Amino acid sequence: MIALASDHGGYELKQKVIGYLEANGYTCHDFGCYSLESCDYPEFGRAAAEAVAKGECEKGIVICTTGIGISIVANKVPGIRCGLCADTYSAKMTREHNDANMLAMGAGIVGPNLALSIVETFLNTPFSGDEKHVRRINKIEEEVK
Ligand SMILES: O=C(CO)[C@H](O)[C@H](O)COP(=O)(O)O
């Protein structure tokens, strides 16, 4: 189960991502928004992040115009490591090194084809499990206690 959320700026790209995910066998839980009407990204991004933090969804993908605001919101939820990615290298590295459980993208930054490549890379790259990365992630979790 993948949690998704966007504001109006990310709505159309989110619909494309949902279509891609469902076509590839994923189940999606869309926490909103549900139209192009202007809205506030914090409420939707927080709802998706809380579902991931509680284990109700395995991973989350959040989208606004830049990806910045909604990634800030997601990263304020304890247990969330949300990587803002505009390229597939970052998507690979945020899984391998940061064990990111959420991906943020900016619909005004990445086009739909690149966005779907980023999503595919993010979902199919495992955490490396390297001791140094585990240690660093544990330090992140200590910082937010
Ligand atoms: O990228 C964003 C936050 O980081 C938002 O999508 C953006 O700020 C929305 O702006 P507007 O209401 O002017 O469309």
Side-chain angles (χ1 to χ4, degrees):
M1 174 83 81
I2 307 296
L4 291 113
S6 74
D7 70 353
H8 54 285
Y11 175 76
E12 288 182 311
L13 180 56
K14 182 181 66 179
Q15 298 311 111
K16 287 194 170 66
V17 169
I18 290 171
Y20 169 83
L21 291 174
E22 290 182 342
N24 284 279
Y26 292 93
T27 304
C28 297
H29 186 142
D30 183 2
F31 288 87
C33 66
Y34 303 110
S35 78
L36 288 169
E37 188 180 336
S38 182
C39 62
D40 300 336
Y41 57 82
E43 56 205 80
F44 305 111
R46 187 176 301 113
E50 285 174 350
V52 175
K54 285 181 198 156
E56 294 167 2
C57 293
E58 188 191 335
K59 288 196 175 64
I61 300 172
V62 289
I63 308 172
C64 61
T65 304
T66 62
I68 297 170
I70 207 158
S71 67
I72 292 171
V73 169
N75 277 312
K76 285 193 173 291
V77 174
I80 293 302
R81 293 177 301 282
C82 180
L84 172 56
C85 297
D87 58 86
T88 55
Y89 175 70
S90 298
K92 177 174 180 285
M93 292 296 275
T94 202
R95 288 290 308 129
E96 287 183 348
H97 287 210
N98 313 128
D99 196 17
N101 46 16
M102 292 189 71
L103 166 69
M105 296 186 291
I109 310 295
V110 295
N113 290 342
L114 176 56
L116 296 184
S117 295
I118 291 169
V119 167
E120 181 182 25
T121 302
F122 178 79
L123 293 177
N124 290 310
T125 303
F127 176 48
S128 71
D130 283 357
E131 183 273 335
K132 66 181 179 183
H133 296 309
V134 172
R135 182 180 70 243
R136 292 163 188 166
I137 290 165
N138 286 340
K139 287 185 178 182
I140 294 173
E141 300 304 327
E142 286 300 314
E143 294 291 333
V144 297
K145 267 187 191 163

